[in-house]
Amino acid sequence: MLAAVLQVRAGSLQVMLWQRAREPHAHRWSLPGGGLGGHEDVEASIRRQLAEKVDVRQLSHVEQLAVFSNPTRVPGPRVVATAFLGLVPSHIDPVVPADTAWHPVDALPATAFDHEAICRRARHRLASKLSYTNLGFALAPPEFTISALRALYSAALGYQVSATNLQRVLSRRGLLEPTGGTVQPGPSGGRPAALFRFVSGEMRVTDPFAVLRPPSTRSLGS
Amino acid sequence: MLAAVLQVRAGSLQVMLWQRAREPHAHRWSLPGGGLGGHEDVEASIRRQLAEKVDVRQLSHVEQLAVFSNPTRVPGPRVVATAFLGLVPSHIDPVVPADTAWHPVDALPATAFDHEAICRRARHRLASKLSYTNLGFALAPPEFTISALRALYSAALGYQVSATNLQRVLSRRGLLEPTGGTVQPGPSGGRPAALFRFVSGEMRVTDPFAVLRPPSTRSLGS
DNA sequence: GACGTTTTCGACCGTTAGGCGAAAACCTGG
DNA sequence: CCAGGTTTTCGCCTAACGGTCGAAAACGTC
């Protein structure tokens, strides 16, 4: 029961880690988690464990990643870990305990056990799902400009994306919706940016697949 | 530790189930599986469990599906199950124990516990991955005609796919390769069909994604 | 009012999938 | 051996989509 909680902070994708005080792997950084209780399923359990670190209401998305079960993944008796991906929207700055901090995923400190591999899996899952789902809603605030969204996607994916394409693709898939509002331009001027929101707060899959698409189910209009 | 082992048999997607002899859920049909041993990871464990039902060498693909952990999913003390998807190529007819049989996934008998939900997950995972990976190799024999492949995809997906498109898309993605051989037409005549094979026997992902594709990584040529 | 800045929008192009139909290559029956 | 039926294969056409560019819009400052 471990979670890689990701958030775009200061323009880069970061993961929440806590520093171990005791052996094994003292002083190394570790993903939050804990054991499974008696009357809860694994999703409820990881949310309960994460509640010790962040306000669970600030978690915009939680999903199973995979089971990590290599007998030697931790010293001593074998521990099977169900790993999760958690997401926090960028406009929130959760209060975290003293032993806990955010670290950019491409500059991790010394990590405990196999937690770096779990982080990699989480990054990969996030990047994939940003492409074929509306998972961006879990990274973004309720309202945002296209430039802000572009910055979020670029940080989460690790490379620049085009604002034009991002807006057109997400709109064409029916995921993005203008709120009608605008934001004032900065001190250097510029046209006021329009505000958008994601249509749905639940994860939706947009199948960009061809061979396997049922003939009736055509692409969703604008 | 449970596996939904799927195979296209007699033109329909079927799942391997065994009939429970004892309570709970006696006479209901159940997915094969068992407990995790001390010195193996979950992948090794499920392969060991499945070896009691089928020759493991006949399993062309095994992957994790998800953890099912609802406290009430089985009567009595809670059991956490890591579910797997297994695939068997269509040209193989495994010898199975007397209590075990194949059942079409869209006409399941009375199933035990939450195994029907696990089957649904397995079907969905297979259908999705057929679209954006080369997972078809795990359903097909080493060599096959396009019509045969079309039949496999249609059965696994649950709807008709076009042979023309199937060949072109898989070829364009660099997944399909002609062997040069042909098969003799049936008694009713017809042009001899060319034989093909999948280029790789390992799972490969073909990202048909746009917004999130790194600018350098262009589509793979023929 | 000119100029720089930022966002927005439309236009163009190459690629891909979906569909159709002709052509190819075989069979059987007369 | 030719006509007609069957099955596979291939090319063409079209629509949709993503990638890119550049112009236009809407603001600020000088």
Side-chain angles (χ1 to χ4, degrees):
Chain A
M1 219 76 35
L2 288 172
V5 178
L6 301 180
Q7 184 189 23
V8 176
R9 300 173 66 86
S12 77
L13 187 66
Q14 308 203 9
V15 59
M16 196 179 73
L17 298 171
W18 64 280
Q19 192 167 26
R20 299 178 62 84
R22 291 183 292 186
E23 296 293 345
H25 286 198
H27 310 304
R28 299 178 84 102
W29 292 83
S30 182
L31 294 173
L36 176 63
H39 298 289
E40 57 189 2
D41 63 15
V42 288
E43 279 81 6
S45 175
I46 192 64
R47 286 182 182 272
R48 179 175 58 77
Q49 305 288 347
L50 289 178
E52 302 171 5
K53 300 290 181 184
V54 293
D55 185 346
V56 284
R57 292 169 299 182
Q58 299 172 334
L59 283 171
S60 49
H61 181 73
V62 174
E63 72 176 52
Q64 283 189 31
L65 265 185
V67 171
F68 289 76
S69 60
N70 188 306
T72 64
R73 61 176 287 274
V74 301
R78 183 257 292 290
V79 177
V80 173
T82 304
F84 288 80
L85 162 68
L87 296 175
V88 175
S90 66
H91 67 291
I92 289 178
D93 186 17
V95 179
V96 296
D99 63 354
T100 304
W102 295 90
H103 295 270
V105 291
D106 46 10
L108 288 182
T111 51
F113 314 127
D114 55 355
H115 292 192
E116 184 170 350
I118 297 177
C119 280
R120 267 198 305 273
R121 282 287 277 272
R123 293 176 64 180
H124 185 256
R125 175 72 64 90
L126 173 61
S128 299
K129 287 215 165 179
L130 281 180
S131 295
Y132 67 93
T133 73
N134 64 342
L135 195 53
F137 81 86
L139 293 178
E143 297 193 357
F144 46 83
T145 66
I146 296 296
S147 334
L149 191 65
R150 189 190 79 92
L152 289 178
Y153 272 73
S154 297
L157 293 170
Y159 53 82
Q160 295 288 101
V161 302
S162 145
T164 297
N165 249 333
L166 188 62
Q167 173 177 9
R168 182 180 38 199
V169 169
L170 294 181
S171 298
R172 189 144 51 186
R173 291 179 183 170
L175 306 180
L176 221 53
E177 190 179 56
T179 71
T182 58
V183 290
Q184 296 312 313
S188 60
R191 175 171 173 169
L195 284 170
F196 290 80
R197 73 168 75 93
F198 277 98
V199 170
S200 165
E202 297 217 329
M203 196 174 75
R204 283 201 289 169
V205 174
T206 65
D207 31 15
F209 306 137
V211 196
L212 322 130
R213 204 176 333 164
S216 51
T217 312
R218 272 304 118 74
S219 70
L220 15 123
S222 80
Chain B
M1 220 75 36
L2 289 171
V5 178
L6 301 180
Q7 183 188 24
V8 176
R9 300 173 66 86
S12 77
L13 186 66
Q14 309 203 9
V15 60
M16 196 180 72
L17 297 172
W18 64 280
Q19 193 168 26
R20 300 179 62 83
R22 289 184 294 185
E23 296 293 343
H25 286 197
H27 309 305
R28 300 176 82 101
W29 292 84
S30 180
L31 294 173
L36 176 63
H39 297 289
E40 55 188 4
D41 63 14
V42 287
E43 279 81 6
S45 174
I46 193 63
R47 285 181 182 274
R48 179 175 59 78
Q49 305 289 347
L50 290 178
E52 301 171 6
K53 301 289 180 183
V54 294
D55 184 347
V56 284
R57 292 168 301 182
Q58 298 172 335
L59 283 172
S60 49
H61 181 73
V62 173
E63 73 176 51
Q64 283 190 32
L65 264 184
V67 171
F68 289 78
S69 60
N70 188 306
T72 63
R73 62 177 287 273
V74 301
R78 184 255 294 290
V79 177
V80 174
T82 303
F84 288 80
L85 163 67
L87 296 175
V88 176
S90 65
H91 66 292
I92 289 177
D93 187 17
V95 179
V96 296
D99 63 354
T100 304
W102 296 89
H103 294 272
V105 292
D106 46 11
L108 288 182
T111 51
F113 313 128
D114 55 356
H115 293 191
E116 185 170 350
I118 297 177
C119 281
R120 267 199 305 272
R121 282 288 276 273
R123 293 177 64 180
H124 186 257
R125 175 73 64 90
L126 173 62
S128 299
K129 287 214 164 179
L130 282 180
S131 294
Y132 67 93
T133 72
N134 63 343
L135 195 53
F137 81 85
L139 293 178
E143 299 193 355
F144 45 83
T145 66
I146 295 296
S147 334
L149 191 64
R150 190 190 78 92
L152 289 178
Y153 272 73
S154 296
L157 294 170
Y159 53 83
Q160 295 289 100
V161 302
S162 144
T164 297
N165 251 332
L166 187 63
Q167 173 177 10
R168 182 181 38 206
V169 169
L170 294 181
S171 298
R172 187 144 49 191
R173 292 179 182 169
L175 305 180
L176 220 54
E177 189 179 57
T179 69
T182 57
V183 290
Q184 296 312 313
S188 61
R191 175 171 173 168
L195 285 170
F196 291 80
R197 72 169 75 95
F198 277 97
V199 170
S200 165
E202 297 216 329
M203 197 174 73
R204 283 201 290 169
V205 175
T206 65
D207 31 15
F209 307 136
V211 198
L212 322 128
R213 205 179 330 169
S216 52
T217 313
R218 271 304 117 77
S219 69
L220 18 119
S222 82

